[in-house]
Amino acid sequence: GQMAAEDRRRVWRFARFLFLTAQTFVNDLKTGVCPGEDVVCLVVDEAHKATSNHSYVQAARLLGRRSAGFRVLALSATPGSNAERMQEVVSNLRISRIEARDEQSVDVVGCLKSRQMDKVVVQPTAEYLAGRGAGLQAYP
């Protein structure tokens, strides 16, 4: 990021909380700038992206090699489209317990404003269908 690695090295020694991109965190773990053994909690926002070799996955894997124990707080408003994908995220981030909330959850209800949802079905126009057809022919 905007801070040089050597400056971050000093910050890692004294700070209690650091906010970094996953890529910076991974680089700091790889280069030894981050003392992984001192990290006790990894917070991952948009955790549903923790699939394949995403930097979130790399971060959890590298931290697991350097830390005797750390907790993961993984947050996502869109956890996954199917059970296999959700299990991949759970495994990749070493998640051991899941808590889910929705609009009816007791600790959420009082925080929401009322809203009304209307479903509107829009028929595709001739221009849209023509463009779609041309696109599908050009890029099958």
Side-chain angles (χ1 to χ4, degrees):
Q2 296 176 351
M3 183 183 288
E6 284 308 310
D7 293 335
R8 280 196 316 279
R9 184 184 305 275
R10 283 189 292 278
V11 172
W12 273 111
R13 279 186 264 158
F14 301 106
R16 290 190 50 154
F17 301 96
L18 281 119
F19 298 87
L20 316 113
T21 65
Q23 295 86 350
T24 299
F25 184 57
V26 167
N27 290 337
D28 284 0
L29 284 168
K30 285 181 179 177
T31 60
V33 169
C34 167
E37 63 278 0
D38 294 336
V39 175
V40 296
C41 184
L42 175 65
V43 179
V44 179
D45 191 20
E46 302 291 330
H48 58 273
K49 295 179 181 177
T51 60
S52 188
N53 199 34
H54 190 280
S55 51
Y56 292 162
V57 179
Q58 295 175 37
R61 189 179 307 126
L62 287 168
L63 191 55
R65 291 184 198 144
R66 288 169 174 74
S67 176
F70 63 96
R71 294 189 182 252
V72 174
L73 174 60
L75 308 166
S76 179
T78 53
S81 56
N82 59 50
E84 291 81 23
R85 185 146 171 114
M86 286 188 277
Q87 184 57 56
E88 181 182 5
V89 170
V90 167
S91 298
N92 286 343
L93 294 179
R94 302 167 176 236
I95 295 171
S96 61
R97 185 172 142 210
I98 297 173
E99 291 190 22
R101 301 288 188 274
D102 64 16
E103 295 170 338
Q104 278 71 49
S105 296
V106 173
D107 54 350
V108 174
V109 170
C111 301
L112 299 176
K113 294 184 179 186
S114 62
R115 64 181 175 168
Q116 178 182 337
M117 292 177 45
D118 296 322
K119 181 177 180 179
V120 177
V121 178
V122 178
Q123 296 300 318
T125 64
E127 292 90 1
Y128 167 80
L129 293 173
R132 181 172 152 230
L136 290 172
Q137 286 179 351
Y139 302 100

